[in-house]
Amino acid sequence: MHTLIVIAHPDPTSLTHAVAAEVSRGIAAADPAASVELADLSAEGFDPRFTRADLDGHHRRQPFPADVLAEQARLDRADAVVLVFPVYWWAMPAQLKGWIDRVFSNGWAYDDAGDGAVRKKLGRLKVHLLGLGGADERTWSKRGYDVAMKTQIETGIFDYCGAPVVSATVLLAVDAGDATPHLQAGYALGRSIGQDARSCSPQEGAAPI
């Protein structure tokens, strides 16, 4: 099983990066045969701006830009994708949202037939969402931000493309000082992904189906 971990944070020493590293470590601990690829959008300089070239690709007037095709190829290699990101203004950071805007495109993530029918194309891709928020649980639920993010991201993006959201977690109160629980949660998620990979792999000595 191959997992793509996507990070959207400009500081490589951030808690976001540390939690992503724990996810990777957990996968390796649960299934040493599993492979992990890291997409650090900030370090790689991914351009989140949706341009005329992206629009032309959407309308199938020309191929998508090379950087979009490269990201789609990374996702094509993956069985699962983990998005690890800080919550900015109760949503994804702009760079990660722009990655979604450009990469999860018409013709690749879904097919818009133009008659109101949409063919979902990412049913094979398992999605894990791991956000890090500064607010506490009381604020999060009081304002309805938990429901809003679920509607926006899980339903609005991944369900539209048919990609099953296996887990969606927001680690709250990250400004409290003790990062241990958040790192442990990242590791636990990684182990869960790795264990899922092992359960999906053919048993030793058995013929693959």
Side-chain angles (χ1 to χ4, degrees):
M1 182 173 179
H2 181 63
T3 301
L4 177 66
I5 300 176
V6 183
I7 305 174
H9 198 294
D11 182 359
T13 66
S14 66
L15 181 58
T16 299
H17 280 78
V19 168
E22 287 301 299
V23 174
S24 180
R25 197 167 72 88
I27 293 172
D31 183 8
S35 56
V36 177
E37 183 176 1
L38 183 65
D40 185 340
L41 301 183
S42 182
E44 295 173 4
F46 179 81
D47 187 348
R49 294 174 298 174
F50 192 90
T51 67
R52 176 61 185 268
D54 296 292
L55 186 62
D56 286 342
H58 172 82
H59 289 298
R60 307 179 195 236
R61 292 191 286 258
Q62 66 179 32
F64 284 101
D67 59 344
V68 170
L69 295 176
E71 295 302 310
Q72 290 173 347
R74 288 214 278 201
L75 285 160
D76 283 337
R77 293 193 295 268
D79 303 291
V81 60
V82 185
L83 306 186
V84 186
F85 58 93
V87 176
Y88 292 166
W89 291 106
W90 316 108
M92 295 177 174
Q95 191 170 42
L96 182 56
K97 179 56 167 58
W99 182 79
I100 295 285
D101 290 345
R102 298 188 64 210
V103 176
F104 285 65
S105 58
N106 183 30
W108 179 80
Y110 63 92
D111 268 325
D112 185 349
D115 58 358
V118 175
R119 179 184 169 216
K120 304 180 179 187
K121 300 186 69 174
L122 294 185
R124 60 164 193 83
L125 184 65
K126 296 179 180 180
V127 177
H128 300 269
L129 305 172
L130 190 53
L132 289 85
D136 58 22
E137 182 69 39
R138 178 176 175 275
T139 301
W140 196 260
S141 57
K142 176 183 178 181
R143 303 297 184 186
Y145 298 130
D146 49 351
V147 177
M149 283 192 66
K150 181 179 178 67
T151 301
Q152 177 194 168
I153 299 175
E154 294 182 50
T155 303
I157 297 172
F158 295 107
D159 182 65
Y160 191 84
C161 302
V165 177
V166 179
S167 70
T169 305
V170 179
L171 305 177
L172 297 175
V174 297
D175 298 329
D178 183 10
T180 302
H182 306 92
L183 298 173
Q184 290 173 339
Y187 182 79
L189 174 60
R191 285 194 62 87
S192 176
I193 295 170
Q195 288 164 357
D196 179 59
R198 287 179 64 87
S199 68
C200 293
S201 300
Q203 295 298 315
E204 185 176 351
I209 297 174

